[in-house]
Amino acid sequence: VDAAVANPNRTVLELDDVSKDYGHEVAVENLSLDVKDGELLTLLGPSGCGKTTTLRMIAGLERPSDGQISIADEVIADGSSFRKPEERNVGIVFQDYALFPHLTVAENIAFGLTEMEEVAVAERVDELLELVDLSTHHDKMPSQLSGGQQQRVALARSLAPEPDVLLLDEPFSNLDVRLRVEMREEVRKILKRAGVTAISVTHDQEEALSISDRVAIMNDGTIAQVGDPAEVFENPESRFVASFLGQASFLSARVTSDVIETGLGSFNVELLNGPVEAYNGAMVDVLVRPDDLQAMPTNESKADGYVVHRQYNGPSFVYRVELHSGDVVHCMHNHVETFEPGQPVEVDLVADHDLAWYPTE
Ligand code: ATP
């Protein structure tokens, strides 16, 4: 199956100032979002932030309280009109796949192709089986398939009617951890080959960063930031985004024209996003990830702080260190030698990239 041609300049899905409340509960508030043709965008955020409600409004399972939703330049929901799910060309892959247990793989995939001639249906099913690499499983029953294979059948079934937009609700939550990582790569490959515009929902930051073209981080019913994975990870616009996308510590610093002065000493590093209050001694909180800081055991008199917690994560240890300045930071230490909570340590800023910062609260 050849990659379908997508036009990255064309907006396929548009949410314009969309809100949804359930009585006093505001689930989604003034949310605007554009998704381009063939793009895979992930809604990422903590439980209750409004991801599922957003997905359900796109599917037509919920009616927005306010705002407008368009698909392929047609308004499908606004103050005066509302298209039902079956009147929208939207496919959904549910968390539990929802395959029909009494139908074969081929029959499951053909299920939504009611308007097609029999011969065309058979051809389309074969094409999709090839797309998801299950051609030899045509006549199997869902119960004879592994979790990953069932997911590929669910994907094929929802792609069969050529939806304008495909929605994926926590697509990997039913898979064990190892298979999850494998299927991320597989699902992304299938979606890209199909050329479909897709929105996925997850609370797993690693999954969002690894499969998406763009990630929209949600908080409290709104989008906190949207951008490509590297952009949102390396340049988070808020502490919330920084902390949600991985282990984040904040180092208080005074900024002068050529250095930042911190509890660890003065460093010559660049800060992201232009000048900080004209560098006239402004106080900021600088974002540091564990690999930006290196901890080393030392004696009491040279220490920058002491270890409060040690976390083993396979390839390395991450130490939580309370600095004499009062900041609490997470640091790496890659060497074999380990040290214990309570032990004094020296901490070095070893970041070799521009650092994000936030005004001191
Ligand atoms: P999760 O990751 O836990 O699924 P989510 O980000 O998908 O969370 P939503 O399910 O969209 O969040 O819920 C957003 C908010 O709206 C929550 O506070 C939730 O309690 C509320 N909510 C969702 N559906 C309803 C409903 N049918 N009636 C009342 N409140 C609802």
Side-chain angles (χ1 to χ4, degrees):
V1 182
D2 291 333
V5 181
N7 174 0
N9 295 320
R10 177 173 160 253
T11 296
V12 168
L13 171 70
E14 191 173 353
L15 279 73
D16 194 8
D17 246 349
V18 171
S19 298
K20 174 73 188 176
D21 49 62
Y22 299 99
H24 291 300
E25 178 86 49
V26 179
V28 173
E29 197 173 11
N30 301 116
L31 186 145
S32 295
L33 190 64
D34 277 8
V35 188
K36 303 293 180 197
D37 191 16
E39 185 175 35
L40 170 53
L41 180 132
T42 300
L43 300 175
L44 170 72
S47 182
C49 72
K51 309 179 292 288
T52 309
T53 303
T54 304
L55 206 70
R56 289 174 60 83
M57 286 193 288
I58 299 167
L61 301 168
E62 296 288 353
R63 200 179 175 132
S65 314
D66 209 353
Q68 179 177 303
I69 303 177
S70 312
I71 292 180
D73 293 326
E74 277 187 70
V75 176
I76 54 163
D78 66 4
S80 54
S81 67
F82 180 74
R83 292 228 199 131
K84 297 196 195 95
E86 61 274 20
E87 298 164 345
R88 307 176 177 200
N89 192 14
V90 173
I92 310 181
V93 181
F94 292 100
Q95 223 174 83
D96 59 1
Y97 318 140
L99 295 176
F100 302 109
H102 59 291
L103 299 182
T104 65
V105 165
E107 287 164 348
N108 263 285
I109 297 174
F111 189 81
L113 305 177
T114 45
E115 318 255 285
M116 257 188 205
E117 301 275 335
E118 218 172 301
V119 180
V121 170
E123 259 174 40
R124 182 78 183 132
V125 168
D126 286 346
E127 202 177 292
L128 282 152
L129 281 170
E130 197 185 317
L131 175 76
V132 300
D133 200 16
L134 288 175
S135 295
T136 55
H137 296 69
H138 190 278
D139 298 318
K140 286 205 176 142
M141 303 306 283
S143 60
Q144 295 173 292
L145 303 177
S146 70
Q149 290 169 334
Q150 288 181 30
Q151 180 177 53
R152 271 139 67 196
V153 175
L155 206 51
R157 183 181 60 185
S158 49
L159 286 169
E162 301 192 67
D164 289 323
V165 175
L166 183 72
L167 306 177
L168 302 126
D169 183 15
E170 302 263 1
F172 306 101
S173 58
N174 265 359
L175 303 170
D176 68 55
V177 176
R178 193 188 52 81
L179 194 58
R180 217 176 272 187
V181 174
E182 212 177 292
M183 283 307 293
R184 279 181 200 155
E185 210 181 308
E186 187 65 29
V187 166
R188 182 175 161 89
K189 201 168 77 190
I190 292 168
L191 296 177
K192 288 293 146 189
R193 282 164 79 189
V196 70
T197 305
I199 316 249
S200 164
V201 155
T202 186
H203 53 256
D204 179 338
Q205 44 90 13
E206 200 182 287
E207 172 190 321
L209 293 175
S210 68
I211 68 162
S212 317
D213 295 315
R214 278 192 305 153
V215 181
I217 298 108
M218 290 186 67
N219 187 21
D220 265 347
T222 62
I223 291 181
Q225 189 172 354
V226 55
D228 70 54
E231 188 180 322
V232 293
F233 185 77
E234 285 160 24
N235 192 2
E237 282 166 12
S238 61
R239 284 164 215 264
F240 171 80
V241 173
S243 304
F244 198 77
L245 291 177
Q247 218 155 21
S249 326
F250 302 95
L251 201 55
S252 47
R254 179 180 300 281
V255 185
T256 69
S257 56
D258 50 2
V259 291
I260 62 168
E261 295 163 9
T262 74
L264 305 176
S266 293
F267 298 93
N268 192 341
V269 292
E270 296 290 328
L271 297 180
L272 278 164
N273 304 332
V276 181
E277 306 293 334
Y279 294 117
N280 58 355
M283 289 302 295
V284 300
D285 290 337
V286 172
L287 167 65
V288 279
R289 304 273 186 204
D291 56 340
D292 292 329
L293 296 174
Q294 176 87 25
M296 280 151 304
T298 186
N299 57 39
E300 206 72 61
S301 62
K302 286 195 193 146
D304 294 305
Y306 65 95
V307 175
V308 282
H309 182 74
R310 182 176 76 187
Q311 175 197 323
Y312 180 57
N313 61 3
S316 62
F317 282 96
V318 173
Y319 293 92
R320 190 161 77 240
V321 173
E322 183 163 336
L323 301 177
H324 295 325
S325 63
D327 292 334
V328 176
V329 293
H330 292 93
C331 322
M332 293 272 253
H333 181 73
N334 298 317
H335 306 294
V336 190
E337 179 193 13
T338 60
F339 29 102
E340 304 292 329
Q343 199 166 333
V345 283
E346 195 183 312
V347 177
D348 262 346
L349 182 64
V350 293
D352 56 0
H353 57 95
D354 296 1
L355 298 174
W357 59 275
Y358 310 92
T360 296
E361 277 175 347

